[in-house]
Amino acid sequence: MSADRVVLERSTDTSLTVHLFGATVVSWKCNGSEILFVSKNSLFNNKKAIRGGIPVCFPQFGPWDLGPQHGFARITTWTMEQEPKTLSGGDVCAVFTLNDNEETRKMWNHGFKVTYTLTLKETEFVSDFVVNNTGEDPFSFTALLHTYLSVSDVTKTTVSGLKGLKYVDKVRDGQTFTEDRELVSLSENYDRVYMDTPSGHIVHNVTTGKTVIIKKTNLPDTVVWNPWEEKAKAMGDFGDDEYPKMLCVEAGHVSSPVTLDPGASFIAGQVIVAK
Ligand code: TA6
């Protein structure tokens, strides 16, 4: 464990690494296979969001009039409230929190506490995401876990559980379409917000031929994103040749805001299983 990274080590080949900057999960090694993608050009300068892993988007997904795109959570250093603890049965759990502070209140003048609990199991890891309104007034937000999966060849990766869903296509001027494919694959820039999704997706052909299952709780939307060649070149913290090696499948509550009264909580999460 270094000053800014926390390792949940379940065994020699199964571990989770969390960067305190953004409480960004930057590695999930599952029985020796790295499931998450992190760009070789990610800056790790504690200023720009880490390019990869699982950045936490809160209190805003997408462009934001009050502050940076995707909110301030992913570019703020979180507190490790509970260091990695081995539970009976060998699972390892750690807790990270983000409270309102002077910086956040300059952008978003609300009292809040986000509690992000990560539990590493043998072939899955559980993320519990809880937002408490600790202030005196109601507030509204959107939130998303911006998961970057490592893949061998994105054109051979498929995502299930999207057929029949409406999606907002940010590549086609934000128009809404309906998905007609059982298994969604891509070979161009995708930036889609699928709405009212089922609780689970199966992603085939993740790294080293693994299958990943994403099970969501209270996160009704799923964003599917790959920048493809042109947008990859325009990203300074992303290699021009990296887009074939990643696919974002992001669990969120983004197409409509969550509103919390003082004292109320929003409870959500995802379980990612690697088979
Ligand atoms: O989740 C997809 C998306 O909203 C894309 O529009 C793209 O902007 C991506 O997030 C990455 O955003 P970032 O601010 O990290 O460059």
Side-chain angles (χ1 to χ4, degrees):
M1 193 177 331
S2 64
D4 58 8
R5 291 172 193 238
V6 178
V7 181
L8 287 72
E9 187 163 67
R10 195 180 191 284
S11 68
T12 48
D13 60 2
T14 295
S15 64
L16 205 66
T17 303
V18 185
H19 204 295
L20 289 176
F21 183 63
T24 310
V25 178
V26 291
S27 169
W28 174 30
K29 284 190 182 61
C30 180
N31 295 323
S33 292
E34 176 56 68
I35 306 297
L36 302 179
F37 166 90
V38 174
S39 172
K40 60 182 184 286
N41 295 352
S42 183
L43 298 178
F44 288 104
N45 61 3
N46 286 351
K47 291 190 182 71
K48 184 155 177 42
I50 292 169
R51 179 63 68 195
I54 308 179
V56 175
C57 299
F58 173 83
Q60 168 72 18
F61 170 74
W64 193 28
D65 294 340
L66 302 178
Q69 165 152 289
H70 293 334
F72 45 62
R74 66 174 186 163
I75 54 172
T76 302
T77 297
W78 290 47
T79 300
M80 179 170 62
E81 188 153 296
Q82 177 210 289
E83 65 180 34
K85 185 170 80 172
T86 301
L87 310 173
S88 61
D91 297 345
V92 185
C93 174
V95 182
F96 302 88
T97 55
L98 179 67
N99 288 283
D100 59 285
N101 60 43
E102 196 179 333
E103 284 311 303
T104 67
R105 280 186 174 268
K106 282 178 192 163
M107 292 177 257
W108 196 60
N109 191 21
H110 299 294
F112 68 87
K113 177 174 185 176
V114 182
T115 304
Y116 190 37
T117 304
L118 300 177
T119 305
L120 177 63
K121 302 190 172 191
E122 192 175 352
T123 60
E124 62 187 61
F125 92 87
V126 184
S127 310
D128 293 312
F129 183 84
V130 178
V131 180
N132 297 101
N133 182 342
T134 59
E136 307 297 321
D137 56 337
F139 60 62
S140 297
F141 66 92
T142 55
L144 172 133
L145 300 175
H146 201 292
T147 304
Y148 286 74
L149 295 172
S150 172
V151 301
S152 308
D153 174 354
V154 71
T155 64
K156 295 187 173 56
T157 300
T158 62
V159 184
S160 77
L162 299 171
K163 183 173 183 176
L165 300 183
K166 292 198 180 312
Y167 65 89
V168 173
D169 192 336
K170 290 163 56 176
V171 174
R172 288 183 282 180
D173 302 320
Q175 297 175 78
T176 299
F177 300 90
T178 300
E179 182 56 68
D180 60 5
R181 291 171 293 173
E182 197 64 53
L183 294 177
V184 171
S185 61
L186 58 102
S187 51
E188 58 184 346
N189 175 204
Y190 262 39
D191 194 350
R192 301 181 173 190
V193 181
Y194 287 89
M195 298 175 281
D196 298 325
T197 62
S199 59
H201 300 293
I202 301 174
V203 187
H204 292 284
N205 292 326
V206 184
T207 187
T208 62
K210 281 197 176 284
T211 294
V212 160
I213 301 166
I214 299 175
K215 298 186 263 188
K216 309 186 297 170
T217 304
N218 206 11
L219 295 172
D221 305 306
T222 299
V223 175
V224 177
W225 176 61
N226 183 295
W228 213 250
E229 186 171 5
E230 192 183 326
K231 291 207 164 107
K233 284 183 179 150
M235 292 157 63
D237 61 345
F238 188 88
D240 294 356
D241 58 350
E242 290 187 307
Y243 66 90
K245 299 290 187 190
M246 55 71 70
L247 179 65
C248 281
V249 183
E250 312 159 19
H253 195 304
V254 300
S255 49
S256 65
V258 178
T259 298
L260 288 185
D261 287 331
S265 296
F266 166 77
I267 299 171
Q270 71 175 2
V271 180
I272 309 184
V273 186
K275 286 187 175 299

